[in-house]
Amino acid sequence: MSASATSSISQYAKYNNRVTKNRATSESDFVRYSLIAITLLFLSLFLFAPLAAVFTEALRKGIGPYYAALSEPDAISAMNLTLIAAGISLPLNMVFGVSAAWAIAKFEFKGKSILITLIDLPFAVSPVIAGLIYVLIFGMQGWVGVWLSDNEFKVIFAIPSIVLATTFVTFPFVARELIPLMQAQGKEEEEAALVLGASGWQMFWRVTLPNIKWGLLYGVILSNARAMGEFGAVSVVSGHIRGLTNTLPLHVEILYNEYNYVAAFAVASILALLALVTLALKTYVEWQADRNATNIENEIQENLKDSKP
């Protein structure tokens, strides 16, 4: 083939790639601005306006009533119970999430697809149904309710049931974040560590955990956000006992039903602030993970350049 023909084919290929890229990634100004306007309108209606309404209503009568609503004994008890439920469920979710992700990503075994399906179960089952299941198991008319009552151990309408319900609805988040991450990383580094004489725990703490730490933190943040705001399952198993088994979302519902709107929105503002903090942490973790990935890629490229003669 002549040099002129080769040059023509190369120029045509560059033109074709440029045209395809422009068609795929560029639109007219009208289309772009219309999409931006629709996005901003949607966010304003369903995010910014409700968020502003929460804080506006909470502070409608001033700082005094706002502080009084948050310092009320029932509100403090609801905050403490919410923190207790999240504080117990998060470590359990971390242990389960890391273990399940490790098993699924690193090993092949029978029933692997069933395990993945079971991990996704809380996404498919209504939280109300999950709470009802716990009532049918641990309630007075349940499978072990009589035995628990005879041994003076209370689960339903007490803190244990709230922890169980919270753990159930939040346990997929850590596992679901780690499974694709650990599958993408492969198991070569772990195998190399074992060949070099590392024990199982040394391999985990020095090889596996540093590689998954940002994905693990991301899953914990999402799990914590769901734990703080869970309503359906906790509502079924809590019994709505003021000062004892009410979490923050349940306390908001009670105050609102009593037409105590300022106090209801004041407590709701705490949940809104927790959501904003969670969003900020989530953004930071994503940025840090992207930064680490970019640094690793740059180091690999530099090592490749240095290895060339």
Side-chain angles (χ1 to χ4, degrees):
M1 185 179 291
S2 64
S4 59
T6 304
S7 177
S8 299
I9 293 174
S10 177
Q11 291 178 359
Y12 174 77
K14 292 180 180 179
Y15 171 78
N16 191 30
N17 291 335
R18 186 167 61 251
V19 170
T20 303
K21 182 178 180 181
N22 290 338
R23 288 175 179 174
T25 60
S26 65
E27 296 289 349
S28 64
D29 292 341
F30 174 77
V31 173
R32 287 190 286 117
Y33 290 137
S34 297
L35 292 175
I36 293 173
I38 292 172
T39 303
L40 292 176
L41 178 62
F42 182 87
L43 291 175
S44 299
L45 291 176
F46 296 100
L47 181 61
F48 300 141
L51 194 62
V54 168
F55 289 99
T56 300
E57 290 295 323
L59 298 170
R60 183 160 52 91
K61 294 185 179 180
I63 297 294
Y66 178 84
Y67 177 77
L70 296 181
S71 58
E72 184 187 15
D74 290 344
I76 295 176
S77 174
M79 294 179 194
N80 291 335
L81 183 55
T82 302
L83 293 176
I84 290 172
I88 296 176
S89 63
L90 285 181
L92 296 177
N93 290 334
M94 289 176 61
V95 173
F96 170 80
V98 173
S99 302
W102 194 330
I104 292 172
K106 307 296 183 180
F107 303 99
E108 294 294 333
F109 54 91
K110 293 182 179 180
K112 184 176 180 178
S113 59
I114 297 177
L115 177 59
I116 296 174
T117 302
L118 291 177
I119 291 175
D120 291 336
L121 187 62
F123 293 144
V125 176
S126 169
V128 175
I129 302 301
L132 182 59
I133 291 173
Y134 286 118
V135 173
L136 294 176
I137 296 175
F138 300 106
M140 285 300 298
Q141 306 301 322
W143 295 350
V144 296
V146 176
W147 182 86
L148 292 173
S149 178
D150 293 339
N151 290 273
E152 298 181 353
F153 188 78
K154 194 172 184 180
V155 176
I156 297 301
F157 306 148
I159 293 178
S161 63
I162 296 173
V163 173
L164 285 173
T166 303
T167 303
F168 175 81
V169 299
T170 57
F171 79 79
F173 290 97
V174 174
R176 265 303 168 191
E177 288 299 324
L178 292 181
I179 289 172
L181 176 61
M182 297 178 76
Q183 286 177 334
Q185 290 176 348
K187 51 187 178 181
E188 289 79 10
E189 294 185 9
E190 284 87 352
E191 292 175 347
L194 292 176
V195 170
L196 293 174
S199 64
W201 282 111
Q202 288 175 329
M203 177 192 67
F204 175 77
W205 289 109
R206 298 185 181 183
V207 178
T208 303
L209 188 59
N211 288 336
I212 66 172
K213 61 180 179 180
W214 293 112
L216 176 61
L217 182 58
Y218 187 82
V220 169
I221 290 172
L222 295 180
S223 181
N224 180 67
R226 179 64 188 275
M228 293 284 188
E230 174 54 30
F231 179 84
V234 174
S235 177
V236 175
V237 301
S238 70
H240 293 266
I241 305 174
R242 285 184 87 152
L244 293 177
T245 62
N246 273 345
T247 58
L248 281 176
L250 300 183
H251 190 58
V252 171
E253 181 198 26
I254 289 178
L255 293 174
Y256 190 84
N257 290 336
E258 292 177 348
Y259 304 102
N260 192 353
Y261 297 129
V262 172
F265 281 104
V267 178
S269 68
I270 300 299
L271 291 172
L273 287 174
L274 289 173
L276 293 176
V277 171
T278 300
L279 183 62
L281 290 175
K282 173 178 172 292
T283 303
Y284 171 76
V285 170
E286 290 177 340
W287 172 77
Q288 190 67 40
D290 292 339
R291 180 184 177 186
N292 287 347
T294 302
N295 291 338
I296 292 173
E297 184 178 354
N298 292 336
E299 289 179 2
I300 293 174
Q301 292 178 354
E302 290 178 0
N303 291 335
L304 291 175
K305 290 180 180 178
D306 293 338
S307 62
K308 290 182 179 179

